[in-house]
Amino acid sequence: MASPETRSAPTTQRGIPGPRSTRAAGPAAFAVDVSQPACHTLLVEVGGDVDLVTAPRLAEIVEHRLRGPVTLLVLDLSEVTFLGTAGLTVLVETQQAAARRGTALRVTGTGTRPVERALRAAGMLHSLPTADEPAEDVVLRHVAEQNTMPARW
């Protein structure tokens, strides 16, 4: 058997070369994990490709969860492998919805290559309320701040 470098690529029915890899090409699995690590705090961890197909699901999940009493929404994008224009739209809409409800929004994981690249291309790199620290640290800091604030009478 020839080495992968010298072996010709398999062809499809139309004679177009197919991928040399045996791994199936395709989008990374989309996943959203929502947790409430503290009272009135939501952590939404997103993974995989956020594109035209998956962005509506993310928007639906975030919109549904923001209906309750939430003071902090942390959107963790550290596991996102692709962020398309539909995903960017969800980010803008989430930012607007959080502002209307008086909910603080922090977006983490924006330093990963796919996310940073998309935000930079859209001119949004500095328009989102980002945090350079892990999502868990943002939540812990928020909880500590809530516990040290004097009670409002």
Side-chain angles (χ1 to χ4, degrees), residues 64-86:
H64 176 72
R65 291 303 188 114
L66 273 179
R67 290 181 185 154
V70 178
T71 58
L72 174 66
L73 169 62
V74 179
L75 193 57
D76 183 8
L77 306 178
S78 59
E79 297 297 319
V80 170
T81 54
F82 174 79
L83 183 61
T85 55

Side-chain angles (χ1 to χ4, degrees), residues 48-52 55 77 80-92 107 109-128 130:
D49 290 358
V50 184
D51 56 17
L52 190 59
L77 306 178
V80 170
T81 54
F82 174 79
L83 183 61
T85 55
L88 294 169
T89 301
V90 171
L91 292 178
V92 170
V107 183
T110 57
T112 61
R113 188 161 192 248
V115 175
E116 181 180 0
R117 201 164 133 185
L119 292 174
R120 186 178 305 281
M124 295 173 54
L125 195 57
H126 302 291
S127 64
L128 288 174
T130 60

Side-chain angles (χ1 to χ4, degrees), residues 87-102:
L88 294 169
T89 301
V90 171
L91 292 178
V92 170
E93 291 172 349
T94 298
Q95 184 178 15
Q96 292 169 346
R100 280 192 306 272
R101 290 173 172 81

Side-chain angles (χ1 to χ4, degrees), residues 74 105-111 128-135 138 141:
V74 179
L105 171 67
R106 296 294 174 267
V107 183
T108 64
T110 57
L128 288 174
T130 60
D132 291 334
E133 57 197 339
V138 174
R141 189 175 64 247

